Amino acid sequence: MASYRIRHYREKDYDTVRTLFARGILEHAPAGYRHILRSARVQLGLLVLFAAVRAAAGYWVLGLAAVALALAATWPVVRSFSTSYVQQALSTDLCDISTSYLRAPDSCFWVAEAGGTVVGMVAVAPPQDPAERGVALELKRMSVSKDYRGRGISKALCGEVLRFARARGYGAVVLSTSMVQVAAQRLYEGQGFRKVGTSSPSLLGSLLCFQIFHYRCDLPGGTA
């Protein structure tokens, strides 16, 4: 098992970090697609589509073709949840990482390095939710290269965020992750996070039963 070290982000890491983040998010799109197809609401919709086309055209083959077209059209829609999230991140905080995380108060950005290559990343910053500001910090942009998973890197990166928040007197760390990131959910729950809510990224996401899970980890001794 290759060794690794956790260190602060440097400007030379810029391109690698952005690529690592994008790949990590986009690889979950197929799992999201499969999850949506297993949804009772979506399956019922496909059944109704098949029945309606078959009744109107009189041929079951045309009904199957309509279902196939619907399935093909659903894939780019589902993938757009991931691509739009990546584009938003790359054009905002990950556009100028040093300013967003290393020069801003109560913020930081770490990378995991193995063999001279950045293979993992995580950030922490004040949360988006105004109700949590001054009380909690938010774990953000966690990603580990596929080839280096299962080696404790994600746990180590998560630990850096928890220690950072605790050292500054914060009472909790919050985060959000998608419903299909099962391994991430297990990691966070193993580190003391508990699910405190769910939301959908959009109205379309709600219709397709695509959810975002919100987690919180209360820190002992926090006073912020």
Side-chain angles (χ1 to χ4, degrees):
M1 183 178 296
S3 60
Y4 63 88
R5 68 185 182 108
I6 308 295
R7 61 169 174 80
H8 285 160
Y9 166 86
R10 301 170 187 164
E11 289 296 343
K12 68 176 184 177
D13 305 322
Y14 183 77
D15 290 334
T16 303
V17 160
R18 285 164 57 89
T19 299
L20 178 64
F21 172 77
R23 287 177 177 171
I25 295 298
L26 294 176
E27 74 178 48
H28 295 294
Y33 183 63
R34 292 191 296 271
H35 177 89
I36 286 171
L37 294 187
R38 290 193 294 266
S39 162
R41 183 184 299 175
V42 171
Q43 291 178 357
L44 177 60
L46 292 173
L47 180 61
V48 170
L49 175 64
F50 171 79
V53 173
R54 184 180 186 278
Y59 296 99
W60 65 267
V61 174
L62 292 180
L64 289 178
V67 170
L69 288 174
L71 291 174
T74 301
W75 164 244
V77 173
V78 174
R79 195 172 190 274
S80 72
F81 294 147
S82 297
T83 56
S84 61
Y85 179 69
V86 167
Q87 290 168 0
Q88 186 270 341
L90 295 182
S91 63
T92 53
D93 58 298
L94 295 184
C95 181
D96 189 345
I97 298 170
S98 292
T99 298
S100 298
Y101 294 106
L102 300 186
R103 300 184 192 126
D106 290 334
S107 302
C108 199
F109 198 106
W110 298 268
V111 299
E113 187 179 65
T117 301
V118 171
V119 299
M121 55 184 278
V122 73
V124 65
Q128 298 279 337
D129 185 354
E132 294 285 10
R133 287 194 170 243
V135 177
L137 291 180
E138 183 175 3
L139 183 153
K140 304 178 66 175
R141 309 314 186 203
M142 169 81 85
S143 186
V144 174
S145 175
K146 194 172 184 179
D147 295 335
Y148 285 84
R149 291 173 193 164
R151 308 186 184 195
I153 295 177
S154 295
K155 183 177 179 180
L157 289 168
C158 186
E160 289 290 342
V161 172
L162 295 176
R163 282 190 290 273
F164 182 91
R166 191 179 296 113
R168 282 155 181 77
Y170 281 88
V173 172
V174 296
L175 63 88
S176 299
T177 188
S178 75
M179 62 184 186
V180 298
Q181 292 175 265
V182 178
Q185 294 164 31
R186 290 172 180 165
L187 165 72
Y188 298 136
E189 290 167 3
Q191 294 300 296
F193 285 84
R194 56 188 174 84
K195 194 193 309 185
V196 294
T198 62
S199 64
S200 293
S202 64
L203 175 60
L204 180 59
S206 179
L207 292 173
L208 293 176
C209 304
F210 189 91
Q211 292 185 316
I212 302 298
F213 294 163
H214 304 290
Y215 280 85
R216 180 186 181 93
C217 178
D218 292 311
L219 302 174
T223 58

